[in-house]
Amino acid sequence: MTTFKRNILITGGAGFIGSHVVRLFVNKYPEYRIINLDKLTYAGNLANLKDIENQPNYVFVKADICDYEKMQELMELYHVDGIIHLAAESHVDRSIKDPFTFARTNVMGTLSLLQAAKVYWEGLPEKYEGKRFYHISTDEVYGALEMTHPEGIEPPFTTTASSSEHHLAYGKDFFYEDTKYNPHSPYSASKASSDHFVRAFHDTYGMPTIVTNCSNNYGPYQFPEKLIPLFINNIRHRKPLPVYGKGENVRDWLYVEDHARAIDVIFHNGKTAETYNIGGFNEWKNIDIIKVVINTVDRLLGRKEGEDMDLITYVTDRLGHDMRYAIDSTKLQKELGWEPSLQFEEGIEKTVRWYLDNQEWMDNVTSGDYQKYYDSMYKGR
Ligand code: NAD
Ligand code: TYD
């Protein structure tokens, strides 16, 4: 039997960000066993990991993080010494319609995983030594920032906190690691609560935890309920693009592989009990991003650039729609040497190209066929 140097449990590995993290770890660390634990909700898609599913250091387990006994069983079965916890309900609009599911998975599920890790690790002779519980969270827990203008300077202006000289900011405030939590949506409230539980397990039991809060991710394999993949697909099929409110809300966008690289760096080199903010210093108003996406899709499909602008349809605003997110990732950049690798224009071009080249993936997701993948590949294994 092969023995592995480490046994790392990654939860939510069949989702968007999780699949990039699993792929990175499986390929980069053949000496680690990577156990991907996922319930395969509507957001989980094993086709996201086709390219690595037969690697000898990869295991998939279909399970619900809320199933405490199952979590305990898996800790022992796989001798888990590291956890990277991404499993969550992740879409704000769904949380507005069904907050209970968010409390269940994001709060109770995280607690169940924490408790299972605690009981298992405390029962080992070396206890917490060499262990790590890394919780992936969001910048949305900090609430919303205003669109403020530093005196004497008209927006857009350049921030000094960034390593990128061309970054435009829409206000002088940013989210820092010590910014007070002030979540507004059921999604962000549930993530904030899970973050508190993770920190409480460090403070109360001495569990070696880390929390990171990241801004909006974009890139391949994102479920087409989120802005960028939804709009790419709609433009392709010339369907209306529902822009909430006036399209003036601002988000900071990071290419998903840059997030996965940050997770790798922090998992290995981050300090226990610390929080790190992860972001691109890359703020965009929704309407501006939408125009870039339309132009890029049109160009790559051989249409006249901008000819699909009339698909933009302003619709009723999201309830409690946060105005602006902007994250300061200076601590991560200075202490651990991470920085985003892609300029946004490059990242968007890559992303649009990926969705257009992978229409089959998109069709499987939109038709629901992707949910049959588990049955054909894993059931009965
Ligand atoms: P996603 O919705 O694409 O994937 C979530 C995954 O978790 C899916 O594979 C799903 O099947 C799985 N899952 C859901 N409930 C589960 C349960 N009870 N048990 C086991 N697995 C379950 O989400 P994502 O966008 O990849 O986000 C991953 C994590 O990163 C989340 O914790 C999210 O809060 C956080 N995050 C996301 C973003 C973003 O822009 N997408 C930004 C910052 C932080
Ligand atoms: P989303 O991708 O849902 O991420 P989040 O809510 O976590 O930031 O949305 C990004 C932004 O785009 C957000 O301000 C809401 C807006 N949006 C629309 O205008 N129309 C849409 O159809 C969607 C899904 C989002």
Side-chain angles (χ1 to χ4, degrees), residues 89-93 95-96 102 106-107 135 137-144 181-196 213 320 322 325:
E89 289 292 335
S90 68
H91 190 41
V92 175
D93 293 326
S95 82
I96 294 168
F102 282 69
N106 299 359
V107 185
H135 177 62
S137 192
T138 165
D139 61 353
E140 304 190 23
V141 297
Y142 296 123
Y181 274 32
N182 187 20
H184 298 300
S185 72
Y187 164 64
S188 53
S190 68
K191 290 297 290 187
S193 171
S194 65
D195 296 8
H196 291 319
N213 300 82
D322 285 337
Y325 302 145

PDB file of all heavy atoms in Angstrom, residues 89-93 95-96 102 106-107 135 137-144 181-196 213 320 322 325:
ATOM      1  N   GLU A  89     -22.834  26.561   0.307  1.00  0.00           N
ATOM      2  CA  GLU A  89     -23.799  27.160  -0.615  1.00  0.00           C
ATOM      3  C   GLU A  89     -23.231  28.546  -0.897  1.00  0.00           C
ATOM      4  O   GLU A  89     -22.867  29.267   0.037  1.00  0.00           O
ATOM      5  CB  GLU A  89     -25.172  27.260   0.034  1.00  0.00           C
ATOM      6  CG  GLU A  89     -25.866  25.922   0.218  1.00  0.00           C
ATOM      7  CD  GLU A  89     -26.272  25.276  -1.100  1.00  0.00           C
ATOM      8  OE1 GLU A  89     -26.460  26.002  -2.095  1.00  0.00           O
ATOM      9  OE2 GLU A  89     -26.404  24.039  -1.144  1.00  0.00           O
ATOM     10  N   SER A  90     -23.152  28.914  -2.180  1.00  0.00           N
ATOM     11  CA  SER A  90     -22.324  30.085  -2.500  1.00  0.00           C
ATOM     12  C   SER A  90     -23.023  31.211  -3.262  1.00  0.00           C
ATOM     13  O   SER A  90     -22.393  32.220  -3.556  1.00  0.00           O
ATOM     14  CB  SER A  90     -21.106  29.620  -3.311  1.00  0.00           C
ATOM     15  OG  SER A  90     -21.530  29.160  -4.584  1.00  0.00           O
ATOM     16  N   HIS A  91     -24.323  31.042  -3.570  1.00  0.00           N
ATOM     17  CA  HIS A  91     -24.924  32.075  -4.426  1.00  0.00           C
ATOM     18  C   HIS A  91     -25.898  32.974  -3.655  1.00  0.00           C
ATOM     19  O   HIS A  91     -26.896  32.501  -3.105  1.00  0.00           O
ATOM     20  CB  HIS A  91     -25.633  31.406  -5.606  1.00  0.00           C
ATOM     21  CG  HIS A  91     -26.074  32.381  -6.661  1.00  0.00           C
ATOM     22  ND1 HIS A  91     -25.299  33.447  -7.070  1.00  0.00           N
ATOM     23  CD2 HIS A  91     -27.202  32.457  -7.383  1.00  0.00           C
ATOM     24  CE1 HIS A  91     -25.942  34.131  -7.997  1.00  0.00           C
ATOM     25  NE2 HIS A  91     -27.097  33.553  -8.202  1.00  0.00           N
ATOM     26  N   VAL A  92     -25.594  34.272  -3.640  1.00  0.00           N
ATOM     27  CA  VAL A  92     -26.378  35.247  -2.867  1.00  0.00           C
ATOM     28  C   VAL A  92     -27.863  35.190  -3.227  1.00  0.00           C
ATOM     29  O   VAL A  92     -28.731  35.172  -2.341  1.00  0.00           O
ATOM     30  CB  VAL A  92     -25.828  36.677  -3.098  1.00  0.00           C
ATOM     31  CG1 VAL A  92     -26.715  37.711  -2.410  1.00  0.00           C
ATOM     32  CG2 VAL A  92     -24.393  36.790  -2.612  1.00  0.00           C
ATOM     33  N   ASP A  93     -28.183  35.121  -4.522  1.00  0.00           N
ATOM     34  CA  ASP A  93     -29.599  35.124  -4.926  1.00  0.00           C
ATOM     35  C   ASP A  93     -30.346  33.921  -4.351  1.00  0.00           C
ATOM     36  O   ASP A  93     -31.492  34.033  -3.915  1.00  0.00           O
ATOM     37  CB  ASP A  93     -29.731  35.140  -6.456  1.00  0.00           C
ATOM     38  CG  ASP A  93     -29.220  36.449  -7.046  1.00  0.00           C
ATOM     39  OD1 ASP A  93     -29.380  37.495  -6.388  1.00  0.00           O
ATOM     40  OD2 ASP A  93     -28.649  36.424  -8.148  1.00  0.00           O
ATOM     41  N   SER A  95     -29.565  32.426  -1.597  1.00  0.00           N
ATOM     42  CA  SER A  95     -29.664  32.607  -0.141  1.00  0.00           C
ATOM     43  C   SER A  95     -30.826  33.518   0.227  1.00  0.00           C
ATOM     44  O   SER A  95     -31.413  33.402   1.300  1.00  0.00           O
ATOM     45  CB  SER A  95     -28.348  33.149   0.437  1.00  0.00           C
ATOM     46  OG  SER A  95     -28.244  34.553   0.291  1.00  0.00           O
ATOM     47  N   ILE A  96     -31.176  34.420  -0.684  1.00  0.00           N
ATOM     48  CA  ILE A  96     -32.303  35.330  -0.427  1.00  0.00           C
ATOM     49  C   ILE A  96     -33.613  34.539  -0.478  1.00  0.00           C
ATOM     50  O   ILE A  96     -34.534  34.776   0.301  1.00  0.00           O
ATOM     51  CB  ILE A  96     -32.288  36.494  -1.452  1.00  0.00           C
ATOM     52  CG1 ILE A  96     -31.038  37.363  -1.209  1.00  0.00           C
ATOM     53  CG2 ILE A  96     -33.573  37.322  -1.393  1.00  0.00           C
ATOM     54  CD1 ILE A  96     -30.728  38.374  -2.302  1.00  0.00           C
ATOM     55  N   PHE A 102     -28.578  27.638   3.594  1.00  0.00           N
ATOM     56  CA  PHE A 102     -27.275  28.282   3.803  1.00  0.00           C
ATOM     57  C   PHE A 102     -26.812  28.121   5.245  1.00  0.00           C
ATOM     58  O   PHE A 102     -25.646  27.870   5.518  1.00  0.00           O
ATOM     59  CB  PHE A 102     -27.345  29.755   3.376  1.00  0.00           C
ATOM     60  CG  PHE A 102     -27.277  29.895   1.877  1.00  0.00           C
ATOM     61  CD1 PHE A 102     -28.350  29.461   1.091  1.00  0.00           C
ATOM     62  CD2 PHE A 102     -26.151  30.394   1.245  1.00  0.00           C
ATOM     63  CE1 PHE A 102     -28.296  29.531  -0.300  1.00  0.00           C
ATOM     64  CE2 PHE A 102     -26.083  30.468  -0.139  1.00  0.00           C
ATOM     65  CZ  PHE A 102     -27.157  30.040  -0.913  1.00  0.00           C
ATOM     66  N   ASN A 106     -23.506  25.962   5.535  1.00  0.00           N
ATOM     67  CA  ASN A 106     -22.361  26.830   5.820  1.00  0.00           C
ATOM     68  C   ASN A 106     -22.032  26.906   7.314  1.00  0.00           C
ATOM     69  O   ASN A 106     -20.860  26.959   7.689  1.00  0.00           O
ATOM     70  CB  ASN A 106     -22.600  28.223   5.241  1.00  0.00           C
ATOM     71  CG  ASN A 106     -22.770  28.180   3.716  1.00  0.00           C
ATOM     72  OD1 ASN A 106     -22.693  27.104   3.114  1.00  0.00           O
ATOM     73  ND2 ASN A 106     -22.998  29.319   3.102  1.00  0.00           N
ATOM     74  N   VAL A 107     -23.076  26.902   8.143  1.00  0.00           N
ATOM     75  CA  VAL A 107     -22.822  27.013   9.582  1.00  0.00           C
ATOM     76  C   VAL A 107     -22.710  25.616  10.207  1.00  0.00           C
ATOM     77  O   VAL A 107     -21.649  25.234  10.713  1.00  0.00           O
ATOM     78  CB  VAL A 107     -23.928  27.832  10.292  1.00  0.00           C
ATOM     79  CG1 VAL A 107     -23.561  28.032  11.758  1.00  0.00           C
ATOM     80  CG2 VAL A 107     -24.137  29.178   9.602  1.00  0.00           C
ATOM     81  N   HIS A 135      -9.955  27.312   6.394  1.00  0.00           N
ATOM     82  CA  HIS A 135     -11.337  27.648   6.026  1.00  0.00           C
ATOM     83  C   HIS A 135     -11.346  28.753   4.967  1.00  0.00           C
ATOM     84  O   HIS A 135     -10.755  29.817   5.170  1.00  0.00           O
ATOM     85  CB  HIS A 135     -12.062  28.115   7.294  1.00  0.00           C
ATOM     86  CG  HIS A 135     -13.460  28.568   7.070  1.00  0.00           C
ATOM     87  ND1 HIS A 135     -14.458  27.752   6.587  1.00  0.00           N
ATOM     88  CD2 HIS A 135     -14.044  29.777   7.284  1.00  0.00           C
ATOM     89  CE1 HIS A 135     -15.592  28.429   6.512  1.00  0.00           C
ATOM     90  NE2 HIS A 135     -15.362  29.661   6.923  1.00  0.00           N
ATOM     91  N   SER A 137     -13.146  31.591   3.061  1.00  0.00           N
ATOM     92  CA  SER A 137     -14.303  32.467   3.195  1.00  0.00           C
ATOM     93  C   SER A 137     -14.267  33.591   2.154  1.00  0.00           C
ATOM     94  O   SER A 137     -13.462  33.570   1.223  1.00  0.00           O
ATOM     95  CB  SER A 137     -14.398  33.007   4.624  1.00  0.00           C
ATOM     96  OG  SER A 137     -15.662  33.610   4.806  1.00  0.00           O
ATOM     97  N   THR A 138     -15.156  34.524   2.362  1.00  0.00           N
ATOM     98  CA  THR A 138     -15.412  35.540   1.339  1.00  0.00           C
ATOM     99  C   THR A 138     -15.243  36.950   1.905  1.00  0.00           C
ATOM    100  O   THR A 138     -15.401  37.166   3.112  1.00  0.00           O
ATOM    101  CB  THR A 138     -16.859  35.376   0.813  1.00  0.00           C
ATOM    102  OG1 THR A 138     -17.233  36.533   0.092  1.00  0.00           O
ATOM    103  CG2 THR A 138     -17.859  35.217   1.957  1.00  0.00           C
ATOM    104  N   ASP A 139     -14.985  37.903   1.015  1.00  0.00           N
ATOM    105  CA  ASP A 139     -14.911  39.305   1.454  1.00  0.00           C
ATOM    106  C   ASP A 139     -16.296  39.847   1.824  1.00  0.00           C
ATOM    107  O   ASP A 139     -16.410  40.894   2.458  1.00  0.00           O
ATOM    108  CB  ASP A 139     -14.251  40.184   0.377  1.00  0.00           C
ATOM    109  CG  ASP A 139     -15.003  40.213  -0.952  1.00  0.00           C
ATOM    110  OD1 ASP A 139     -15.987  39.444  -1.112  1.00  0.00           O
ATOM    111  OD2 ASP A 139     -14.605  40.994  -1.847  1.00  0.00           O
ATOM    112  N   GLU A 140     -17.353  39.112   1.431  1.00  0.00           N
ATOM    113  CA  GLU A 140     -18.708  39.630   1.662  1.00  0.00           C
ATOM    114  C   GLU A 140     -19.061  39.704   3.150  1.00  0.00           C
ATOM    115  O   GLU A 140     -19.993  40.404   3.532  1.00  0.00           O
ATOM    116  CB  GLU A 140     -19.734  38.796   0.881  1.00  0.00           C
ATOM    117  CG  GLU A 140     -19.385  38.762  -0.599  1.00  0.00           C
ATOM    118  CD  GLU A 140     -20.461  38.176  -1.511  1.00  0.00           C
ATOM    119  OE1 GLU A 140     -21.634  38.161  -1.133  1.00  0.00           O
ATOM    120  OE2 GLU A 140     -20.094  37.746  -2.623  1.00  0.00           O
ATOM    121  N   VAL A 141     -18.295  38.988   3.999  1.00  0.00           N
ATOM    122  CA  VAL A 141     -18.555  39.051   5.449  1.00  0.00           C
ATOM    123  C   VAL A 141     -18.310  40.455   6.007  1.00  0.00           C
ATOM    124  O   VAL A 141     -18.839  40.811   7.056  1.00  0.00           O
ATOM    125  CB  VAL A 141     -17.670  38.051   6.247  1.00  0.00           C
ATOM    126  CG1 VAL A 141     -17.985  36.622   5.851  1.00  0.00           C
ATOM    127  CG2 VAL A 141     -16.182  38.357   6.084  1.00  0.00           C
ATOM    128  N   TYR A 142     -17.489  41.244   5.314  1.00  0.00           N
ATOM    129  CA  TYR A 142     -17.158  42.591   5.813  1.00  0.00           C
ATOM    130  C   TYR A 142     -18.260  43.610   5.530  1.00  0.00           C
ATOM    131  O   TYR A 142     -18.182  44.756   5.964  1.00  0.00           O
ATOM    132  CB  TYR A 142     -15.869  43.089   5.174  1.00  0.00           C
ATOM    133  CG  TYR A 142     -14.633  42.270   5.514  1.00  0.00           C
ATOM    134  CD1 TYR A 142     -13.861  41.691   4.504  1.00  0.00           C
ATOM    135  CD2 TYR A 142     -14.207  42.107   6.834  1.00  0.00           C
ATOM    136  CE1 TYR A 142     -12.713  40.964   4.803  1.00  0.00           C
ATOM    137  CE2 TYR A 142     -13.066  41.376   7.137  1.00  0.00           C
ATOM    138  CZ  TYR A 142     -12.319  40.805   6.113  1.00  0.00           C
ATOM    139  OH  TYR A 142     -11.185  40.092   6.409  1.00  0.00           O
ATOM    140  N   GLY A 143     -19.263  43.207   4.721  1.00  0.00           N
ATOM    141  CA  GLY A 143     -20.340  44.146   4.417  1.00  0.00           C
ATOM    142  C   GLY A 143     -20.093  44.856   3.116  1.00  0.00           C
ATOM    143  O   GLY A 143     -19.536  44.282   2.183  1.00  0.00           O
ATOM    144  N   ALA A 144     -20.528  46.116   3.026  1.00  0.00           N
ATOM    145  CA  ALA A 144     -20.382  46.845   1.767  1.00  0.00           C
ATOM    146  C   ALA A 144     -19.656  48.154   2.019  1.00  0.00           C
ATOM    147  O   ALA A 144     -19.806  48.773   3.074  1.00  0.00           O
ATOM    148  CB  ALA A 144     -21.754  47.122   1.184  1.00  0.00           C
ATOM    149  N   TYR A 181     -16.739  42.674  11.013  1.00  0.00           N
ATOM    150  CA  TYR A 181     -17.728  41.922  10.221  1.00  0.00           C
ATOM    151  C   TYR A 181     -19.066  42.650  10.233  1.00  0.00           C
ATOM    152  O   TYR A 181     -19.513  43.134  11.271  1.00  0.00           O
ATOM    153  CB  TYR A 181     -17.913  40.516  10.794  1.00  0.00           C
ATOM    154  CG  TYR A 181     -16.916  39.495  10.281  1.00  0.00           C
ATOM    155  CD1 TYR A 181     -15.617  39.862   9.942  1.00  0.00           C
ATOM    156  CD2 TYR A 181     -17.272  38.162  10.116  1.00  0.00           C
ATOM    157  CE1 TYR A 181     -14.707  38.926   9.463  1.00  0.00           C
ATOM    158  CE2 TYR A 181     -16.361  37.220   9.647  1.00  0.00           C
ATOM    159  CZ  TYR A 181     -15.088  37.609   9.312  1.00  0.00           C
ATOM    160  OH  TYR A 181     -14.199  36.685   8.842  1.00  0.00           O
ATOM    161  N   ASN A 182     -19.701  42.707   9.058  1.00  0.00           N
ATOM    162  CA  ASN A 182     -20.990  43.392   8.947  1.00  0.00           C
ATOM    163  C   ASN A 182     -21.784  42.819   7.763  1.00  0.00           C
ATOM    164  O   ASN A 182     -22.113  43.534   6.823  1.00  0.00           O
ATOM    165  CB  ASN A 182     -20.713  44.899   8.749  1.00  0.00           C
ATOM    166  CG  ASN A 182     -21.980  45.718   8.783  1.00  0.00           C
ATOM    167  OD1 ASN A 182     -23.000  45.269   9.290  1.00  0.00           O
ATOM    168  ND2 ASN A 182     -21.935  46.903   8.208  1.00  0.00           N
ATOM    169  N   PRO A 183     -22.058  41.495   7.818  1.00  0.00           N
ATOM    170  CA  PRO A 183     -22.678  40.857   6.648  1.00  0.00           C
ATOM    171  C   PRO A 183     -24.122  41.300   6.454  1.00  0.00           C
ATOM    172  O   PRO A 183     -24.822  41.573   7.424  1.00  0.00           O
ATOM    173  CB  PRO A 183     -22.631  39.366   7.018  1.00  0.00           C
ATOM    174  CG  PRO A 183     -22.625  39.334   8.506  1.00  0.00           C
ATOM    175  CD  PRO A 183     -21.871  40.550   8.947  1.00  0.00           C
ATOM    176  N   HIS A 184     -24.547  41.369   5.173  1.00  0.00           N
ATOM    177  CA  HIS A 184     -25.914  41.828   4.885  1.00  0.00           C
ATOM    178  C   HIS A 184     -26.811  40.753   4.314  1.00  0.00           C
ATOM    179  O   HIS A 184     -28.020  40.792   4.530  1.00  0.00           O
ATOM    180  CB  HIS A 184     -25.867  42.990   3.887  1.00  0.00           C
ATOM    181  CG  HIS A 184     -25.141  44.180   4.414  1.00  0.00           C
ATOM    182  ND1 HIS A 184     -25.543  44.837   5.529  1.00  0.00           N
ATOM    183  CD2 HIS A 184     -24.024  44.818   3.981  1.00  0.00           C
ATOM    184  CE1 HIS A 184     -24.716  45.845   5.770  1.00  0.00           C
ATOM    185  NE2 HIS A 184     -23.771  45.836   4.850  1.00  0.00           N
ATOM    186  N   SER A 185     -26.260  39.844   3.526  1.00  0.00           N
ATOM    187  CA  SER A 185     -27.128  38.839   2.886  1.00  0.00           C
ATOM    188  C   SER A 185     -27.133  37.577   3.735  1.00  0.00           C
ATOM    189  O   SER A 185     -26.197  37.340   4.517  1.00  0.00           O
ATOM    190  CB  SER A 185     -26.610  38.515   1.483  1.00  0.00           C
ATOM    191  OG  SER A 185     -25.423  37.753   1.579  1.00  0.00           O
ATOM    192  N   PRO A 186     -28.155  36.726   3.573  1.00  0.00           N
ATOM    193  CA  PRO A 186     -28.121  35.438   4.283  1.00  0.00           C
ATOM    194  C   PRO A 186     -26.852  34.652   3.942  1.00  0.00           C
ATOM    195  O   PRO A 186     -26.299  33.974   4.807  1.00  0.00           O
ATOM    196  CB  PRO A 186     -29.390  34.740   3.794  1.00  0.00           C
ATOM    197  CG  PRO A 186     -30.313  35.867   3.438  1.00  0.00           C
ATOM    198  CD  PRO A 186     -29.436  36.945   2.875  1.00  0.00           C
ATOM    199  N   TYR A 187     -26.387  34.739   2.697  1.00  0.00           N
ATOM    200  CA  TYR A 187     -25.139  34.050   2.337  1.00  0.00           C
ATOM    201  C   TYR A 187     -23.983  34.564   3.187  1.00  0.00           C
ATOM    202  O   TYR A 187     -23.282  33.793   3.853  1.00  0.00           O
ATOM    203  CB  TYR A 187     -24.825  34.257   0.842  1.00  0.00           C
ATOM    204  CG  TYR A 187     -23.392  33.926   0.463  1.00  0.00           C
ATOM    205  CD1 TYR A 187     -22.905  32.627   0.592  1.00  0.00           C
ATOM    206  CD2 TYR A 187     -22.515  34.919  -0.009  1.00  0.00           C
ATOM    207  CE1 TYR A 187     -21.575  32.319   0.258  1.00  0.00           C
ATOM    208  CE2 TYR A 187     -21.197  34.621  -0.341  1.00  0.00           C
ATOM    209  CZ  TYR A 187     -20.730  33.320  -0.205  1.00  0.00           C
ATOM    210  OH  TYR A 187     -19.420  33.020  -0.531  1.00  0.00           O
ATOM    211  N   SER A 188     -23.778  35.885   3.185  1.00  0.00           N
ATOM    212  CA  SER A 188     -22.604  36.409   3.899  1.00  0.00           C
ATOM    213  C   SER A 188     -22.760  36.241   5.409  1.00  0.00           C
ATOM    214  O   SER A 188     -21.770  36.029   6.125  1.00  0.00           O
ATOM    215  CB  SER A 188     -22.316  37.868   3.515  1.00  0.00           C
ATOM    216  OG  SER A 188     -23.442  38.684   3.680  1.00  0.00           O
ATOM    217  N   ALA A 189     -24.022  36.285   5.901  1.00  0.00           N
ATOM    218  CA  ALA A 189     -24.233  36.057   7.340  1.00  0.00           C
ATOM    219  C   ALA A 189     -23.839  34.628   7.707  1.00  0.00           C
ATOM    220  O   ALA A 189     -23.222  34.388   8.751  1.00  0.00           O
ATOM    221  CB  ALA A 189     -25.690  36.313   7.705  1.00  0.00           C
ATOM    222  N   SER A 190     -24.163  33.681   6.833  1.00  0.00           N
ATOM    223  CA  SER A 190     -23.820  32.279   7.138  1.00  0.00           C
ATOM    224  C   SER A 190     -22.306  32.069   7.043  1.00  0.00           C
ATOM    225  O   SER A 190     -21.732  31.333   7.849  1.00  0.00           O
ATOM    226  CB  SER A 190     -24.576  31.322   6.206  1.00  0.00           C
ATOM    227  OG  SER A 190     -24.119  31.443   4.877  1.00  0.00           O
ATOM    228  N   LYS A 191     -21.657  32.724   6.094  1.00  0.00           N
ATOM    229  CA  LYS A 191     -20.197  32.593   5.993  1.00  0.00           C
ATOM    230  C   LYS A 191     -19.523  33.262   7.203  1.00  0.00           C
ATOM    231  O   LYS A 191     -18.552  32.744   7.749  1.00  0.00           O
ATOM    232  CB  LYS A 191     -19.673  33.221   4.688  1.00  0.00           C
ATOM    233  CG  LYS A 191     -20.039  32.471   3.426  1.00  0.00           C
ATOM    234  CD  LYS A 191     -19.454  31.059   3.334  1.00  0.00           C
ATOM    235  CE  LYS A 191     -17.959  31.041   3.123  1.00  0.00           C
ATOM    236  NZ  LYS A 191     -17.455  29.655   2.875  1.00  0.00           N
ATOM    237  N   ALA A 192     -20.048  34.405   7.622  1.00  0.00           N
ATOM    238  CA  ALA A 192     -19.472  35.093   8.785  1.00  0.00           C
ATOM    239  C   ALA A 192     -19.571  34.192  10.010  1.00  0.00           C
ATOM    240  O   ALA A 192     -18.609  34.039  10.778  1.00  0.00           O
ATOM    241  CB  ALA A 192     -20.227  36.404   9.030  1.00  0.00           C
ATOM    242  N   SER A 193     -20.723  33.565  10.170  1.00  0.00           N
ATOM    243  CA  SER A 193     -20.916  32.688  11.314  1.00  0.00           C
ATOM    244  C   SER A 193     -19.924  31.525  11.276  1.00  0.00           C
ATOM    245  O   SER A 193     -19.320  31.170  12.298  1.00  0.00           O
ATOM    246  CB  SER A 193     -22.362  32.178  11.290  1.00  0.00           C
ATOM    247  OG  SER A 193     -22.527  31.189  12.246  1.00  0.00           O
ATOM    248  N   SER A 194     -19.722  30.961  10.103  1.00  0.00           N
ATOM    249  CA  SER A 194     -18.772  29.834  10.007  1.00  0.00           C
ATOM    250  C   SER A 194     -17.350  30.314  10.323  1.00  0.00           C
ATOM    251  O   SER A 194     -16.590  29.610  10.994  1.00  0.00           O
ATOM    252  CB  SER A 194     -18.843  29.159   8.637  1.00  0.00           C
ATOM    253  OG  SER A 194     -18.438  30.015   7.607  1.00  0.00           O
ATOM    254  N   ASP A 195     -17.004  31.518   9.890  1.00  0.00           N
ATOM    255  CA  ASP A 195     -15.664  32.056  10.197  1.00  0.00           C
ATOM    256  C   ASP A 195     -15.487  32.163  11.722  1.00  0.00           C
ATOM    257  O   ASP A 195     -14.428  31.832  12.272  1.00  0.00           O
ATOM    258  CB  ASP A 195     -15.469  33.465   9.614  1.00  0.00           C
ATOM    259  CG  ASP A 195     -15.507  33.509   8.095  1.00  0.00           C
ATOM    260  OD1 ASP A 195     -15.840  32.487   7.477  1.00  0.00           O
ATOM    261  OD2 ASP A 195     -15.209  34.582   7.527  1.00  0.00           O
ATOM    262  N   HIS A 196     -16.545  32.632  12.401  1.00  0.00           N
ATOM    263  CA  HIS A 196     -16.463  32.779  13.863  1.00  0.00           C
ATOM    264  C   HIS A 196     -16.253  31.424  14.534  1.00  0.00           C
ATOM    265  O   HIS A 196     -15.471  31.297  15.478  1.00  0.00           O
ATOM    266  CB  HIS A 196     -17.737  33.423  14.413  1.00  0.00           C
ATOM    267  CG  HIS A 196     -17.895  34.875  14.013  1.00  0.00           C
ATOM    268  ND1 HIS A 196     -16.858  35.772  13.996  1.00  0.00           N
ATOM    269  CD2 HIS A 196     -18.990  35.575  13.635  1.00  0.00           C
ATOM    270  CE1 HIS A 196     -17.304  36.963  13.612  1.00  0.00           C
ATOM    271  NE2 HIS A 196     -18.585  36.865  13.389  1.00  0.00           N
ATOM    272  N   ASN A 213     -10.226  35.351   3.311  1.00  0.00           N
ATOM    273  CA  ASN A 213     -11.407  36.006   2.762  1.00  0.00           C
ATOM    274  C   ASN A 213     -11.047  36.540   1.385  1.00  0.00           C
ATOM    275  O   ASN A 213     -10.175  37.405   1.259  1.00  0.00           O
ATOM    276  CB  ASN A 213     -11.856  37.137   3.684  1.00  0.00           C
ATOM    277  CG  ASN A 213     -12.210  36.610   5.071  1.00  0.00           C
ATOM    278  OD1 ASN A 213     -11.330  36.407   5.906  1.00  0.00           O
ATOM    279  ND2 ASN A 213     -13.470  36.343   5.303  1.00  0.00           N
ATOM    280  N   GLY A 320     -31.199  44.139  -0.880  1.00  0.00           N
ATOM    281  CA  GLY A 320     -30.023  44.378  -0.032  1.00  0.00           C
ATOM    282  C   GLY A 320     -28.702  44.338  -0.792  1.00  0.00           C
ATOM    283  O   GLY A 320     -27.657  44.015  -0.220  1.00  0.00           O
ATOM    284  N   ASP A 322     -25.299  44.713  -2.040  1.00  0.00           N
ATOM    285  CA  ASP A 322     -24.110  45.423  -1.552  1.00  0.00           C
ATOM    286  C   ASP A 322     -23.510  46.283  -2.662  1.00  0.00           C
ATOM    287  O   ASP A 322     -23.309  45.819  -3.783  1.00  0.00           O
ATOM    288  CB  ASP A 322     -23.053  44.412  -1.072  1.00  0.00           C
ATOM    289  CG  ASP A 322     -23.411  43.789   0.282  1.00  0.00           C
ATOM    290  OD1 ASP A 322     -24.180  44.407   1.036  1.00  0.00           O
ATOM    291  OD2 ASP A 322     -22.893  42.692   0.560  1.00  0.00           O
ATOM    292  N   TYR A 325     -17.490  46.113  -3.077  1.00  0.00           N
ATOM    293  CA  TYR A 325     -16.502  45.298  -2.358  1.00  0.00           C
ATOM    294  C   TYR A 325     -15.131  45.679  -2.900  1.00  0.00           C
ATOM    295  O   TYR A 325     -14.947  45.770  -4.114  1.00  0.00           O
ATOM    296  CB  TYR A 325     -16.674  43.801  -2.619  1.00  0.00           C
ATOM    297  CG  TYR A 325     -18.018  43.190  -2.278  1.00  0.00           C
ATOM    298  CD1 TYR A 325     -18.529  42.159  -3.060  1.00  0.00           C
ATOM    299  CD2 TYR A 325     -18.747  43.589  -1.165  1.00  0.00           C
ATOM    300  CE1 TYR A 325     -19.741  41.539  -2.752  1.00  0.00           C
ATOM    301  CE2 TYR A 325     -19.961  42.977  -0.855  1.00  0.00           C
ATOM    302  CZ  TYR A 325     -20.457  41.967  -1.657  1.00  0.00           C
ATOM    303  OH  TYR A 325     -21.653  41.360  -1.350  1.00  0.00           O
TER     304      TYR A 325
END
